[in-house]
Amino acid sequence: MIPRLLLTGAAGGLGKALRPRLKGDCHILRLSDLVPLDPPAAHEECMQVDLGDADAVMKMVEGCEAIVHLGGISVEAPWSHILKANIDGLVHLYEAARIHKVRRVVFASSNHVMGFHRQDQVVDALTPPRPDGFYGLSKAFGEDLSRLYFDRYGIETACVRIGSSYPEPKDRRMLATWLSYDDLHRLVVACLTTPVLGHTIIYGTSDNAVSWYDNRLAHHVGYRPQDSADVYRDAVYARTKDPDLTDPTTLYQGGAFVKIGPLSES
Ligand code: NAI
Ligand code: 15L
């Protein structure tokens, strides 16, 4: 049991999924987000914090032993937004972690760090990043920043390159990238509790038959997915059209992200 665990981005899709699931993993769950949160239960604390505000982030982190960092911009967006939440925000978070002696962080990275690798390629933790936009680039920065704080200060981080975490896979691509909410929780708990985490990059998907990710370099985390996108396969195929195999959104792992956002504007 972690004495006090901080969950950022607690008002978001994954924050709402993890909030009830983390109840048994810590004595106190400190929840934070830019937007208001549902009122705290007996074991919870709520703080409304902008990650771009260094002083507020410093107070948010004080007293916490570990952090699950989900907060920030979660899709492709103008650079100024990403800069504030995902770049400045992450520097504020790790500086606060250093000052307040946080031992371990689970950082919600993304498959979009690797989005310009092809879907006929299997990538692992040593494969060079190929971000598919400003958003993926900001997650690559977060991975490097967390490595710096591990090398200099010993703060352990799991950079979880989450695939697509939703109640069900929404399209054919997500049959490879899907991560169930229960597996997300299993993965976060494995990252928080494995004896020696170090600085680790791990892909966050369920046990899907089709996969572009090799997690052998993160075996020490002990993550064992128990769900699979495969049970949704027939239904997903029935409701979706055959893809155009010449379209970059079909060819590349990042899917639609390789074409959307400010970088697409002329
Ligand atoms: P979300 O967009 O639903 O939640 C993100 C939360 O961060 C929101 O509640 C938002 O208010 C908060 N936030 C945004 N800017 C902020 C700021 N400046 N200060 C404080 N809080 C701020 O995203 P979701 O789906 O819950 O994802 C959570 C994390 O996981 C994100 O970091 C995302 O990049 C990452 N991720 C999610 C995937 C998914 O399939 N849901 C896939 C890959 C990565
Ligand atoms: C992500 O990084 C996004 O946060 C999420 O909204 C999904 O689009 C996911 O990747 C994905 O690739 O499906």
Side-chain angles (χ1 to χ4, degrees), residues 132-147:
D132 55 29
F134 289 150
Y135 166 65
L137 188 64
S138 75
K139 295 293 186 179
F141 169 83
E143 294 186 358
D144 280 354
L145 183 80
S146 60
R147 191 182 295 276

Side-chain angles (χ1 to χ4, degrees), residues 12-14 33-34 49-51 70 72 74 109 135 139 162-165:
L14 301 192
D33 205 288
L34 183 63
V49 171
D50 183 347
L51 291 162
L70 305 181
S74 64
S109 184
Y135 166 65
K139 295 293 186 179
I162 302 171
S164 309
S165 196

Side-chain angles (χ1 to χ4, degrees), residues 45-104:
E45 302 171 342
C46 289
M47 295 177 81
Q48 201 171 340
V49 171
D50 183 347
L51 291 162
D53 179 342
D55 293 338
V57 171
M58 194 62 76
K59 291 191 189 88
M60 170 183 83
V61 169
E62 186 172 11
C64 297
E65 282 74 26
I67 302 172
V68 178
H69 182 52
L70 305 181
I73 305 293
S74 64
V75 289
E76 195 56 19
W79 177 248
S80 59
H81 300 198
I82 287 181
L83 179 64
K84 187 175 175 207
N86 293 15
I87 304 287
D88 289 343
L90 214 68
V91 172
H92 299 156
L93 188 87
Y94 273 88
E95 266 303 278
R98 176 177 73 82
I99 299 288
H100 294 301
K101 304 199 179 337
V102 172
R103 298 182 52 80
R104 197 170 278 194

Side-chain angles (χ1 to χ4, degrees), residues 193-245:
T193 56
T194 195
V196 180
L197 178 67
H199 184 271
T200 294
I201 289 170
I202 184 165
Y203 292 89
T205 61
S206 287
D207 186 15
N208 309 326
V210 173
S211 177
W212 312 316
Y213 310 122
D214 177 351
N215 262 341
R216 272 177 300 176
L217 293 168
H219 223 64
H220 58 286
V221 173
Y223 167 56
R224 299 286 180 272
Q226 290 180 25
D227 298 320
S228 172
D230 302 352
V231 297
Y232 302 100
R233 188 174 189 81
D234 290 348
V236 169
Y237 267 73
R239 68 166 187 262
T240 53
K241 288 191 295 187
D242 286 342
D244 171 2
L245 294 177

